[in-house]
């Protein structure tokens, strides 16, 4: 990591290392973990990672350990304020309870987005999205 | 350490690879390269829905199809220990060989500039 210290440009992630981060992936997954390292492609190494599912006023967590994430799959990376982290107005429930809700949320969201994309394409001249089908 | 170096250091360790299409591959890493292309052995492949399974003795995964890899927690510590041990070994080897030659030379150059 010492060799990355010269990366003092505004676009670097060096200030995010060893901090608790929220990573959102293109498939819609939200991961909380400590950023341990990165490279020029923004591939990330996250330690102590927790995947969170949100549904209405509840959330659930699933512990996953160490992640090596390929940079092109990351939508955004945000620093978590450790002081405010525990003040969430949501109830935590076990992961197994939210799993089925999560899956139905995803399918209904995909359905709505497909209809939206079709209307935008036919009526407003927008291009259809590529085959990736982002879920975020 | 860099993500790809962590991957290189994880050879022969078990890991889980999820592809962009949601399929997961559980196996031991044989080798990897700078494009994140990897070869795994003793692989259990699971479909994206989680309903179908295959066992493969070996497989090759192109780096561009990977979404993420999950590695055991012990790996990070093991790799850091290996790195420090390698650094200590390198430093002691260099120190004993080049130390005597380096000293007098450096002193000579400094005196030249001062005059």
């Amino acid at each position: 990591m010492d060799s990355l210290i010269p990366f003092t440009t505004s676009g670097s992630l060096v200030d995010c290392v060893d901090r608790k981060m929220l990573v959102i992936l293109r498939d819609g997954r939200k991961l909380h973990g400590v950023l341990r390292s990165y490279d020029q492609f923004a591939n990330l190494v996250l330690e102590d990672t927790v995947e969170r599912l949100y549904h209405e006023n509840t959330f659930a967590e699933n512990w996953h350990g160490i992640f090596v994430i390929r940079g092109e799959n990351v939508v955004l990376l945000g620093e978590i304020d450790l002081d405010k982290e525990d003040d969430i107005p949501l109830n935590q429930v076990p992961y197994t309870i939210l799993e089925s809700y999560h899956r139905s949320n995803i399918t209904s969201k995909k359905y709505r987005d497909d209809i939206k994309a079709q209307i935008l394409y036919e009526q407003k001249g927008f291009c259809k999205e590529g085959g990736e089908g982002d879920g975020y | 350490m860099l993500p790809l170096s962590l991957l290189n250091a994880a050879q022969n360790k078990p890991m889980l690879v999820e592809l962009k299409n949601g399929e997961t591959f559980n196996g031991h890493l044989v080798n990897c390269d700078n494009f994140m292309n990897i070869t795994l052995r003793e692989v259990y492949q699971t479909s994206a829905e989680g309903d179908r399974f295959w066992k493969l003795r070996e497989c090759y995964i192109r780096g561009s199809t990977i979404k993420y890899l999950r590695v055991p927690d012990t790996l990070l510590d093991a790799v850091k220990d290996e790195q420090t041990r390698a650094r200590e070994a390198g430093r002691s080897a260099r120190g004993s060989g080049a130390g005597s030659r380096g000293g007098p030379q450096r002193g000579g150059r400094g005196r030249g500039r001062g005059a």
Side-chain angles (χ1 to χ4, degrees), chain A residues 1 4 25 27 29 36-39 43-45 47 63-70 72-73 132, chain B residues 1-4 6 18 20 34-36 63-73 76-77 80:
Chain A
M1 285 309 290
L4 290 169
L25 300 184
D27 64 357
R29 248 181 268 239
R36 283 300 179 204
S37 82
Y38 64 98
D39 62 9
N43 295 329
L44 311 170
V45 174
E47 195 178 9
W63 188 83
H64 280 311
I66 299 185
F67 263 80
V68 179
I69 305 175
R70 197 176 157 88
E72 56 176 321
N73 298 292
E132 289 286 341
Chain B
M1 59 176 326
L2 297 179
L4 282 175
L6 183 66
E18 178 160 330
K20 289 189 184 153
N34 288 326
F35 301 106
M36 219 187 267
S64 57
T65 62
I66 293 178
K67 191 191 294 178
Y68 62 77
L69 310 109
R70 278 183 58 192
V71 292
D73 314 310
L76 206 54
D77 306 318
K80 281 210 184 111

Coordinates of all heavy atoms in Angstrom, one line a residue, chain A residues 1 4 25 27 29 36-39 43-45 47 63-70 72-73 132, chain B residues 1-4 6 18 20 34-36 63-73 76-77 80:
Chain A
M1 N 0.8 -1.2 0.0 CA 0.0 0.0 0.0 C 0.9 1.2 0.0 O 0.4 2.3 -0.3 CB -0.9 0.0 1.2 CG -2.1 -0.9 1.1 SD -3.0 -0.7 -0.4 CE -3.8 0.8 -0.2
L4 N 1.1 3.2 -3.1 CA 0.0 3.9 -3.6 C -0.1 5.3 -3.0 O -1.0 6.1 -3.4 CB -1.3 3.1 -3.3 CG -1.5 1.8 -4.1 CD1 -2.6 1.0 -3.5 CD2 -1.7 2.1 -5.6
L25 N -23.5 -2.7 -5.7 CA -23.1 -3.4 -7.0 C -24.2 -3.2 -8.0 O -25.3 -2.8 -7.7 CB -22.9 -4.9 -6.7 CG -21.8 -5.2 -5.7 CD1 -21.7 -6.7 -5.6 CD2 -20.5 -4.6 -6.1
D27 N -25.8 -5.3 -9.5 CA -27.0 -6.2 -9.4 C -27.9 -5.8 -8.2 O -28.8 -6.4 -7.9 CB -26.5 -7.7 -9.2 CG -25.8 -7.9 -7.9 OD1 -25.5 -6.9 -7.2 OD2 -25.4 -9.0 -7.7
R29 N -26.9 -5.3 -5.1 CA -26.5 -5.7 -3.7 C -25.9 -4.5 -3.0 O -25.2 -3.7 -3.6 CB -25.5 -6.8 -3.8 CG -25.9 -8.1 -3.3 CD -24.8 -9.1 -3.5 NE -24.9 -9.8 -4.7 CZ -25.0 -11.1 -4.8 NH1 -25.1 -11.8 -3.8 NH2 -25.1 -11.7 -6.0
R36 N -10.0 -2.5 2.3 CA -8.6 -2.8 2.6 C -7.7 -2.3 1.5 O -6.6 -1.9 1.8 CB -8.4 -4.3 2.9 CG -8.9 -4.7 4.2 CD -8.2 -4.0 5.3 NE -8.7 -4.4 6.6 CZ -8.6 -3.7 7.7 NH1 -8.0 -2.5 7.7 NH2 -9.0 -4.1 8.9
S37 N -8.1 -2.5 0.3 CA -7.2 -2.1 -0.8 C -8.0 -1.9 -2.1 O -9.1 -2.3 -2.2 CB -6.0 -3.0 -1.0 OG -6.4 -4.1 -1.8
Y38 N -7.3 -1.3 -3.1 CA -7.9 -1.0 -4.4 C -6.8 -1.0 -5.4 O -5.6 -1.0 -5.1 CB -8.7 0.3 -4.4 CG -7.9 1.5 -4.1 CD1 -7.5 2.3 -5.2 CD2 -7.4 1.8 -2.9 CE1 -6.7 3.4 -5.0 CE2 -6.6 2.9 -2.7 CZ -6.2 3.7 -3.8 OH -5.4 4.8 -3.6
D39 N -7.2 -0.9 -6.7 CA -6.1 -0.7 -7.7 C -6.7 0.2 -8.8 O -7.7 0.9 -8.6 CB -5.7 -2.1 -8.3 CG -6.9 -2.8 -9.0 OD1 -8.0 -2.2 -9.2 OD2 -6.7 -4.0 -9.3
N43 N -10.9 -2.2 -8.6 CA -11.2 -3.5 -7.9 C -11.0 -3.3 -6.4 O -10.1 -2.5 -6.0 CB -10.2 -4.6 -8.4 CG -10.3 -4.9 -9.8 OD1 -11.4 -4.8 -10.4 ND2 -9.2 -5.3 -10.5
L44 N -11.9 -3.8 -5.6 CA -11.8 -3.5 -4.2 C -11.6 -4.8 -3.4 O -12.1 -5.8 -3.7 CB -13.1 -2.9 -3.7 CG -13.7 -1.7 -4.6 CD1 -15.1 -1.4 -4.1 CD2 -12.8 -0.5 -4.4
V45 N -10.9 -4.6 -2.2 CA -10.9 -5.7 -1.2 C -11.6 -5.2 0.0 O -11.2 -4.2 0.6 CB -9.4 -6.1 -0.9 CG1 -9.4 -7.1 0.2 CG2 -8.7 -6.7 -2.1
E47 N -13.1 -6.1 3.8 CA -13.0 -7.1 4.9 C -14.2 -7.0 5.8 O -14.8 -5.9 5.9 CB -11.8 -6.8 5.7 CG -11.4 -7.9 6.6 CD -10.1 -7.7 7.4 OE1 -9.6 -6.5 7.3 OE2 -9.6 -8.6 8.0
W63 N -23.6 -12.1 7.0 CA -22.2 -11.8 7.0 C -21.5 -12.7 5.9 O -21.8 -13.8 5.7 CB -21.7 -12.2 8.4 CG -20.2 -11.9 8.6 CD1 -19.7 -10.7 8.9 CD2 -19.1 -12.7 8.4 NE1 -18.4 -10.7 9.0 CE2 -18.0 -12.0 8.7 CE3 -19.0 -14.1 8.1 CZ2 -16.7 -12.5 8.6 CZ3 -17.7 -14.6 8.0 CH2 -16.6 -13.8 8.3
H64 N -20.5 -12.0 5.3 CA -19.9 -12.7 4.1 C -18.4 -12.8 4.2 O -17.8 -13.4 3.3 CB -20.3 -12.0 2.8 CG -21.7 -12.4 2.3 ND1 -22.1 -13.7 2.2 CD2 -22.7 -11.7 1.9 CE1 -23.3 -13.8 1.7 NE2 -23.7 -12.6 1.5
G65 N -17.7 -12.1 5.1 CA -16.2 -12.2 5.1 C -15.5 -11.3 4.1 O -15.9 -10.2 4.0
I66 N -14.5 -11.9 3.5 CA -13.6 -11.0 2.6 C -14.1 -11.1 1.2 O -14.3 -12.2 0.7 CB -12.2 -11.5 2.7 CG1 -11.7 -11.3 4.1 CG2 -11.3 -10.6 1.8 CD1 -10.2 -11.6 4.3
F67 N -14.3 -9.9 0.6 CA -14.7 -9.9 -0.8 C -13.6 -9.2 -1.6 O -13.0 -8.3 -1.2 CB -15.9 -8.9 -0.9 CG -17.3 -9.6 -0.9 CD1 -17.8 -10.0 0.2 CD2 -17.9 -9.8 -2.1 CE1 -19.1 -10.6 0.2 CE2 -19.2 -10.4 -2.2 CZ -19.8 -10.8 -1.0
V68 N -13.4 -9.8 -2.8 CA -12.6 -9.1 -3.8 C -13.5 -8.8 -5.0 O -14.0 -9.7 -5.6 CB -11.4 -10.0 -4.3 CG1 -10.6 -9.3 -5.4 CG2 -10.5 -10.4 -3.2
I69 N -13.9 -7.5 -5.1 CA -14.9 -7.1 -6.1 C -14.2 -6.6 -7.3 O -13.4 -5.7 -7.2 CB -15.8 -6.1 -5.5 CG1 -16.4 -6.6 -4.2 CG2 -16.9 -5.7 -6.4 CD1 -17.2 -5.6 -3.4
R70 N -14.7 -7.0 -8.5 CA -14.2 -6.5 -9.7 C -14.8 -5.1 -10.0 O -16.0 -4.9 -9.9 CB -14.6 -7.5 -10.9 CG -13.8 -7.3 -12.1 CD -14.1 -8.3 -13.2 NE -13.8 -7.8 -14.5 CZ -12.6 -8.0 -15.1 NH1 -11.6 -8.6 -14.5 NH2 -12.4 -7.5 -16.3
E72 N -15.6 -3.1 -12.3 CA -16.6 -2.7 -13.3 C -18.0 -3.0 -12.7 O -19.0 -2.5 -13.3 CB -16.4 -3.4 -14.6 CG -16.4 -4.9 -14.5 CD -16.3 -5.6 -15.8 OE1 -17.0 -5.2 -16.7 OE2 -15.6 -6.6 -15.9
N73 N -18.1 -3.8 -11.7 CA -19.5 -4.1 -11.1 C -19.9 -3.2 -10.0 O -21.0 -3.3 -9.5 CB -19.4 -5.5 -10.5 CG -19.1 -6.5 -11.6 OD1 -19.9 -6.8 -12.5 ND2 -17.9 -7.1 -11.5
E132 N -26.8 -6.0 -20.0 CA -26.4 -6.3 -18.6 C -27.6 -6.3 -17.7 O -27.6 -7.1 -16.8 CB -25.5 -5.1 -18.2 CG -24.1 -5.2 -18.8 CD -23.2 -6.3 -18.3 OE1 -23.5 -6.8 -17.2 OE2 -22.3 -6.6 -19.0
Chain B
M1 N -2.5 -4.6 0.5 CA -1.9 -5.1 -0.8 C -2.9 -5.0 -1.9 O -4.1 -5.1 -1.6 CB -1.3 -6.5 -0.6 CG -2.4 -7.5 -0.2 SD -1.8 -9.2 -0.1 CE -0.6 -9.3 -1.4
L2 N -2.5 -5.0 -3.1 CA -3.4 -4.8 -4.2 C -4.3 -6.0 -4.4 O -4.0 -7.1 -4.0 CB -2.6 -4.7 -5.5 CG -1.7 -3.4 -5.6 CD1 -0.9 -3.5 -6.9 CD2 -2.5 -2.2 -5.5
P3 N -5.5 -5.8 -4.9 CA -6.5 -6.9 -5.0 C -5.9 -8.1 -5.8 O -6.1 -9.2 -5.4 CB -7.6 -6.2 -5.7 CG -7.6 -4.8 -5.3 CD -6.1 -4.5 -5.1
L4 N -5.2 -7.8 -6.9 CA -4.7 -8.9 -7.8 C -3.6 -9.6 -7.1 O -3.4 -10.8 -7.3 CB -4.3 -8.4 -9.1 CG -5.5 -8.1 -10.1 CD1 -5.1 -7.5 -11.4 CD2 -6.3 -9.4 -10.3
L6 N -3.4 -10.0 -3.9 CA -4.1 -10.9 -2.9 C -4.6 -12.2 -3.6 O -4.4 -13.3 -3.0 CB -5.3 -10.1 -2.3 CG -6.1 -10.9 -1.2 CD1 -5.2 -11.1 0.0 CD2 -7.3 -10.1 -0.8
E18 N -18.4 -15.5 -8.0 CA -19.7 -15.3 -8.6 C -19.6 -14.5 -9.9 O -18.8 -13.5 -9.9 CB -20.7 -14.5 -7.6 CG -22.0 -14.2 -8.3 CD -23.2 -13.9 -7.3 OE1 -23.1 -14.4 -6.2 OE2 -24.1 -13.2 -7.7
K20 N -21.1 -12.5 -13.4 CA -22.1 -11.5 -13.6 C -23.5 -12.1 -13.8 O -24.4 -11.4 -13.5 CB -21.7 -10.7 -14.9 CG -20.5 -9.8 -14.6 CD -20.2 -8.9 -15.8 CE -19.0 -8.1 -15.6 NZ -18.4 -7.7 -16.9
N34 N -3.2 -11.3 -14.8 CA -3.5 -9.9 -14.6 C -4.8 -9.5 -15.1 O -5.3 -8.4 -14.8 CB -2.4 -9.0 -15.3 CG -1.1 -9.1 -14.5 OD1 -1.1 -9.2 -13.3 ND2 0.0 -9.0 -15.3
F35 N -5.5 -10.3 -15.9 CA -6.8 -10.0 -16.4 C -7.9 -10.6 -15.5 O -9.1 -10.5 -15.8 CB -7.0 -10.6 -17.8 CG -6.0 -10.1 -18.8 CD1 -5.0 -10.9 -19.3 CD2 -6.2 -8.8 -19.3 CE1 -4.1 -10.4 -20.2 CE2 -5.3 -8.3 -20.2 CZ -4.2 -9.1 -20.7
M36 N -7.4 -11.2 -14.4 CA -8.3 -11.8 -13.4 C -8.9 -13.1 -14.0 O -9.8 -13.7 -13.4 CB -9.5 -10.9 -13.0 CG -9.8 -11.1 -11.5 SD -11.2 -10.2 -11.0 CE -10.5 -8.6 -10.4
G63 N -11.7 -13.5 -16.8 CA -11.8 -12.5 -15.8 C -13.0 -11.5 -16.0 O -13.6 -11.0 -15.1
S64 N -13.3 -11.2 -17.3 CA -14.3 -10.2 -17.6 C -15.7 -10.6 -17.2 O -16.6 -9.8 -17.1 CB -14.3 -9.8 -19.1 OG -14.5 -11.0 -19.8
T65 N -15.9 -11.9 -16.9 CA -17.2 -12.4 -16.5 C -17.4 -12.4 -15.0 O -18.5 -12.8 -14.5 CB -17.5 -13.8 -17.0 OG1 -16.5 -14.7 -16.4 CG2 -17.3 -13.9 -18.5
I66 N -16.4 -12.1 -14.3 CA -16.5 -12.2 -12.8 C -17.1 -11.0 -12.2 O -16.8 -9.9 -12.6 CB -15.1 -12.4 -12.2 CG1 -14.5 -13.7 -12.6 CG2 -15.1 -12.3 -10.7 CD1 -13.1 -13.9 -12.1
K67 N -18.0 -11.2 -11.3 CA -18.6 -10.1 -10.5 C -17.8 -9.9 -9.3 O -17.3 -8.8 -9.0 CB -20.1 -10.5 -10.1 CG -20.8 -9.3 -9.5 CD -22.1 -9.6 -8.9 CE -23.1 -10.2 -9.9 NZ -24.4 -10.6 -9.3
Y68 N -17.6 -11.0 -8.5 CA -16.7 -10.8 -7.3 C -16.2 -12.2 -6.9 O -16.7 -13.2 -7.4 CB -17.4 -10.2 -6.1 CG -18.6 -11.0 -5.6 CD1 -18.5 -12.1 -4.8 CD2 -19.9 -10.5 -5.9 CE1 -19.6 -12.8 -4.3 CE2 -21.0 -11.2 -5.4 CZ -20.9 -12.3 -4.6 OH -21.9 -13.0 -4.2
L69 N -15.2 -12.2 -6.0 CA -14.7 -13.4 -5.4 C -14.8 -13.3 -3.9 O -14.5 -12.2 -3.3 CB -13.3 -13.7 -5.8 CG -12.9 -13.5 -7.3 CD1 -12.1 -12.3 -7.4 CD2 -12.1 -14.7 -7.7
R70 N -15.1 -14.4 -3.2 CA -15.1 -14.4 -1.8 C -14.0 -15.3 -1.3 O -13.9 -16.5 -1.8 CB -16.4 -14.9 -1.2 CG -17.5 -13.8 -1.1 CD -18.7 -14.3 -0.5 NE -18.5 -14.8 0.9 CZ -19.3 -15.5 1.6 NH1 -20.5 -15.9 1.0 NH2 -19.0 -16.0 2.8
V71 N -13.1 -14.9 -0.4 CA -12.0 -15.7 0.0 C -12.1 -15.9 1.5 O -12.7 -15.1 2.2 CB -10.7 -15.0 -0.3 CG1 -10.4 -15.0 -1.8 CG2 -10.6 -13.6 0.2
P72 N -11.5 -16.9 2.1 CA -11.5 -17.1 3.5 C -10.9 -16.0 4.3 O -9.9 -15.4 3.8 CB -10.8 -18.5 3.7 CG -10.1 -18.8 2.4 CD -10.7 -18.0 1.4
D73 N -11.4 -15.7 5.5 CA -10.9 -14.6 6.3 C -9.4 -14.8 6.7 O -8.7 -13.9 6.8 CB -11.7 -14.4 7.5 CG -13.2 -14.5 7.2 OD1 -13.6 -13.8 6.3 OD2 -13.9 -15.3 7.9
L76 N -6.3 -13.2 4.4 CA -5.6 -11.9 4.5 C -4.5 -11.9 5.5 O -3.4 -11.4 5.2 CB -6.7 -10.9 5.0 CG -6.5 -9.4 4.6 CD1 -6.3 -9.3 3.1 CD2 -7.7 -8.6 5.0
D77 N -4.7 -12.6 6.7 CA -3.7 -12.6 7.7 C -2.5 -13.5 7.2 O -1.3 -13.1 7.4 CB -4.2 -13.2 9.0 CG -5.4 -12.4 9.5 OD1 -5.4 -11.2 9.4 OD2 -6.4 -13.1 9.9
K80 N -0.4 -11.5 4.7 CA 0.3 -10.5 5.3 C 1.6 -11.0 6.0 O 2.7 -10.5 5.9 CB -0.5 -9.7 6.4 CG -1.4 -8.7 5.7 CD -1.7 -7.5 6.6 CE -2.8 -6.6 5.9 NZ -4.0 -6.6 6.6

